[in-house]
Amino acid sequence: MTDVPTIALNSGTSIPQLGLGVWQTPDDDAERLVRFAIDEAGYRHIDTAKIYGNEEGVGRGIATSGVPREEIFLTTKLWNADHGRDRALAAFDESLQRLGTDYVDLYLIHWPLGDDAEFLATWHALEQLHSEGRARAIGLSNATIRHLDLVLAEHSVAPAIDQVELHPHFQQLPLRQHALEHGIAVESWSPLGGTGNSGWGKNSRPNTVLANETIAEIAAEHSVSPAQVVIRWHLQNGLVVIPKSTHEQRIAQNIDVFGFELTERDLQRIAALDTGERVGADPDTVR
Ligand SMILES: NC(=O)c1ccc[n+]([C@@H]2O[C@H](COP(=O)([O-])OP(=O)(O)OC[C@H]3O[C@@H](n4cnc5c(N)ncnc54)[C@H](OP(=O)(O)O)[C@@H]3O)[C@@H](O)[C@H]2O)c1
């Protein structure tokens, strides 16, 4: 069994640093792939969302795996149409029902939309879910420094995590520094550079991270794949990382990253690849 390190969250719980992302994994495949990830590959952390349309398949995959629910870290997210206190509480109940569970380990606001008052009302609904013990940790996704500060100024429960686009071409250093200073863990979405066909956001573009020459050279030096190099880069930078694949062999490969370590020079070479270019939507312009 792979020993994935955990990161302590300000909620008092901890999150396995590596998990399986399931965006664009069809509901029909999710049950089999999640069960494979848990039983065969050793994952203990799954990242889904209402909008992915596969909470039911994910829930069945967990339930039919050989691992008890309480040993799995499960994240889902509140979709954009569900902002506002009452809608947020109802959306959470519906997610739990689809997932077939009575709690999640992490509930995130998927995008920080709407006016500030509505966004904060949504956050206060998540605080209620946390106080009821039904969301063991709560956090934000796609929050900029401004959004973090807004919540930090008004919170009774601080966000445990900010899940943002982050990969070697978009390294988000100022946001990471700010989150760290406030005890908020940073989780990388599209950690491998994205699926390349999302069509989501005007920045949507083909994956250029896995095809990068420097990454390929480092991979060859360690006799591993480019994806494994990139996943190690996230781990060695203290980030939570949730690569997605619909192929069992890649799901297994992506967690097989604890038999090698990137050198300081490797890390510096990858640090130099930041182009500041997103592959997904920009939280400042998404509506
Ligand atoms: N909060 C948000 O707004 C947000 C936004 C986007 C994503 N996310 C989360 O982050 C997760 C990961 O992001 P992502 O799905 O955009 O992309 P990603 O994990 O960066 O990249 C996935 C792409 O890489 C391919 N791939 C995976 N493992 C590989 C390997 N070992 N070798 C070669 N290719 C490999 C996959 O193809 P195959 O599937 O064909 O193997 C897929 O095309 C999502 O699933 C979701 O859970 C969150």
Side-chain angles (χ1 to χ4, degrees):
M1 180 59 56
T2 312
D3 245 344
V4 175
T6 56
I7 287 193
L9 300 176
N10 61 17
S11 53
T13 55
S14 58
I15 185 169
Q17 215 187 334
L18 173 60
L20 177 70
V22 296
W23 181 35
Q24 298 178 315
T25 300
D27 193 47
D28 285 349
D29 297 331
E31 176 179 348
R32 173 181 55 85
L33 292 169
V34 165
R35 191 170 48 239
F36 172 85
I38 295 170
D39 284 343
E40 308 297 330
Y43 286 75
R44 294 292 181 268
H45 168 188
I46 312 292
D47 181 90
T48 186
K50 172 182 175 178
I51 194 67
Y52 302 167
N54 56 21
E55 288 177 312
E56 290 184 3
V58 166
R60 285 195 305 272
I62 293 173
T64 58
S65 77
V67 175
R69 164 71 185 93
E70 57 274 17
E71 289 180 26
I72 307 294
F73 191 101
L74 176 60
T75 301
T76 195
K77 313 184 192 86
L78 173 124
W79 187 238
N80 299 350
D82 299 323
H83 274 266
R85 184 178 180 282
D86 293 347
R87 281 194 300 273
L89 295 175
F92 180 77
D93 286 342
E94 289 160 14
S95 277
L96 284 191
Q97 208 155 36
R98 283 188 294 270
L99 289 162
T101 184
D102 54 8
Y103 74 96
V104 293
D105 298 278
L106 178 63
Y107 195 45
L108 301 176
I109 298 179
H110 209 142
W111 289 88
L113 298 179
D115 61 30
D116 291 353
E118 188 180 54
F119 172 54
L120 286 171
T122 308
W123 180 253
H124 295 321
L126 266 64
E127 289 174 329
Q128 179 180 326
L129 296 168
H130 181 258
S131 70
E132 293 167 357
R134 297 196 298 150
R136 304 253 162 112
I138 54 175
L140 301 170
S141 175
N142 299 299
T144 61
I145 289 175
R146 188 186 83 77
H147 297 117
L148 290 181
D149 286 345
L150 194 62
V151 171
L152 288 168
E154 294 287 333
H155 74 284
S156 62
V157 181
I161 279 201
D162 191 8
Q163 183 186 115
V164 294
E165 178 176 343
L166 206 159
H167 45 74
H169 285 166
F170 193 65
Q171 299 188 16
Q172 298 254 38
L173 286 173
L175 178 75
R176 280 159 62 187
Q177 185 59 33
H178 195 73
L180 197 67
E181 280 164 15
H182 290 90
I184 300 168
V186 176
E187 181 169 20
S188 309
W189 65 250
S190 288
L192 303 177
T195 59
N197 62 351
S198 71
W200 170 238
K202 66 179 169 52
N203 307 303
S204 178
R205 57 168 62 88
N207 186 320
T208 51
V209 172
L210 293 179
N212 180 274
E213 266 179 35
T214 302
I215 303 274
E217 279 170 27
I218 296 171
E221 284 162 17
H222 291 276
S223 304
V224 296
S225 73
Q228 288 171 308
V229 166
V230 175
I231 292 165
R232 271 298 321 174
W233 175 81
H234 289 276
L235 294 173
Q236 290 184 225
N237 274 282
L239 301 160
V240 180
V241 57
I242 45 170
K244 168 262 175 186
S245 177
T246 42
H247 296 95
E248 292 182 355
Q249 186 239 335
R250 287 176 173 175
I251 289 175
Q253 182 195 110
N254 292 347
I255 198 173
D256 182 16
V257 291
F258 297 97
F260 75 104
E261 208 170 325
L262 300 178
T263 64
E264 199 47 49
R265 180 167 177 271
D266 295 335
L267 293 171
Q268 281 168 12
R269 291 178 76 194
I270 300 174
L273 300 180
D274 196 355
T275 59
E277 286 180 343
R278 297 176 182 272
V279 298
D282 184 337
D284 279 331
T285 55
V286 83
R287 290 289 169 264

